[in-house]
Amino acid sequence: IALSDLSGKLSFVNSSFIKMWGYSDESEILGRGADEFWNDPEDARAVIKKIFDNGFYTSELKAQKADGSLFDVLLTANFISDSDGNLKALFGSFIDITERKRIQEKLDQTRRRLESIVNSSSVLLYNCEAFGDFDATYVSDNLYALTGYTKEEFLTKGFWASRIHPEDTSVVDSELQELIKTKSVKYEYRFLFKDGTYHWMNDESNLIEDENGNPIEINGIWTDITERKKAEEDLLLKHITQRAVLNNIPDMVWLKD
């Protein structure tokens, strides 16, 4: 964390800030302008202006270490006021998201390579949150052709979970809990399409974690297997019918003179 006066001059930084920016002591930092610690000083000045305008600000910024190297930071900032409501200082907290951004970029590159194949098939790529209702954060462009839903609909909070067949929710919940433990699962469930019909979906999910083992998101492959399930059911029914016929044939007795 860091504190600055209203002009942006740093008056306090904790040990995490010193380590994150690659300095050895706070004396190298205090008294300097906050804009000196970002890749683009204009970004820092714009942030300060937005805090003055709104009282609060959170966003990702590109920061610059003591050795000149760059890293990505998630900044959350707000004012500190006295008991009379007078503005006294600016407060900022920082999270180094460099590794998270690196992982996300690799995922994006993989996604782009696969999309050209996926968008012409019945296979859909997705990313979703690794908590709560596991809301989708990304779906490939063939979503509408496959399900009838638009991306705007599908990415709405609670949308995916609300369209799982009621009889399959316990299976899905169990598999998602298993995913957190094993990092990868493959399972099947019914999902409601836009036309009002339920389709059997095969879901291959993989958990993505940061360098500390904390879940970042889930990515996966979603395949419509309705025709395969129907063929399996038809085959099972055929076998049951054949067995029923055989079981009802009277025993035959052969007589020999």
Side-chain angles (χ1 to χ4, degrees):
I1 63 174
L3 293 176
S4 76
D5 61 23
L6 298 182
S7 69
K9 297 294 183 182
L10 292 169
S11 57
F12 170 81
V13 291
N14 67 355
S15 58
S16 294
F17 183 100
I18 297 170
K19 181 179 179 181
M20 191 179 298
W21 264 263
Y23 289 91
S24 57
D25 188 79
E26 66 176 12
S27 62
E28 301 175 84
I29 300 172
L30 300 184
R32 295 170 59 182
D35 58 357
E36 297 180 44
F37 297 87
W38 303 102
N39 180 44
D40 186 350
E42 286 299 323
D43 285 345
R45 289 190 280 272
V47 167
I48 293 174
K49 182 179 185 304
K50 288 178 180 178
I51 299 171
F52 273 99
D53 291 341
N54 305 313
F56 178 85
Y57 182 80
T58 183
S59 184
E60 297 178 5
L61 291 173
K62 186 75 71 174
Q64 183 170 297
K65 291 180 178 287
D67 63 5
S69 61
L70 303 180
F71 66 108
D72 294 296
V73 168
L74 176 63
L75 163 68
T76 301
N78 58 268
F79 282 118
I80 294 178
S81 304
D82 62 20
S83 57
D84 296 322
N86 299 312
L87 303 181
K88 304 297 292 183
L90 294 170
F91 170 85
S93 63
F94 310 88
I95 300 174
D96 186 342
I97 58 171
T98 305
E99 180 65 13
R100 183 185 303 177
K101 295 276 284 187
R102 185 188 68 80
I103 293 172
Q104 186 61 55
E105 178 58 29
K106 288 183 67 176
L107 291 174
D108 289 343
Q109 290 175 0
T110 302
R111 180 191 303 153
R112 288 191 290 269
R113 286 196 298 268
L114 291 174
E115 275 187 341
S116 60
I117 300 172
V118 168
N119 287 336
S120 61
S121 71
S122 61
V123 176
L124 181 143
L125 299 180
Y126 70 87
N127 287 356
C128 71
E129 297 174 342
F131 52 84
D133 288 333
F134 298 88
D135 293 320
T137 56
Y138 162 83
V139 286
S140 52
D141 291 339
N142 60 334
L143 171 72
Y144 183 80
L146 183 63
T147 68
Y149 294 118
T150 65
K151 285 189 176 184
E152 289 74 19
E153 290 173 313
F154 201 85
L155 299 180
T156 302
K157 183 173 179 57
F159 186 90
W160 173 77
S162 69
R163 281 156 179 79
I164 296 170
H165 195 289
E167 295 178 3
D168 297 335
T169 54
S170 60
V171 172
V172 172
D173 290 342
S174 176
E175 292 292 342
L176 289 172
Q177 294 303 314
E178 185 67 16
L179 174 62
I180 302 300
K181 299 176 186 177
T182 64
K183 319 307 179 195
S184 180
V185 294
K186 180 178 179 180
Y187 58 109
E188 301 172 356
Y189 56 91
R190 286 163 289 181
F191 187 84
L192 184 64
F193 278 21
K194 187 66 176 278
D195 63 6
T197 62
Y198 279 99
H199 286 237
W200 277 100
M201 307 303 295
N202 180 76
D203 200 330
E204 299 182 46
S205 303
N206 298 283
L207 182 66
I208 306 301
E209 299 176 328
D210 64 19
E211 70 277 13
N212 297 315
N214 300 311
I216 297 177
E217 66 177 1
I218 296 167
N219 65 30
I221 300 174
W222 214 38
T223 309
D224 187 340
I225 58 169
T226 305
E227 291 302 317
R228 191 200 80 191
K229 296 290 284 189
K230 185 177 184 302
E232 291 173 352
E233 291 172 359
D234 290 345
L235 183 60
L236 178 61
L237 180 60
K238 180 179 179 180
H239 287 167
I240 292 173
T241 302
Q242 289 175 341
R243 183 168 294 277
V245 171
L246 292 173
N247 288 340
N248 284 283
I249 294 176
D251 291 338
M252 300 182 70
V253 178
W254 293 91
L255 298 177
K256 183 177 181 181
D257 291 336

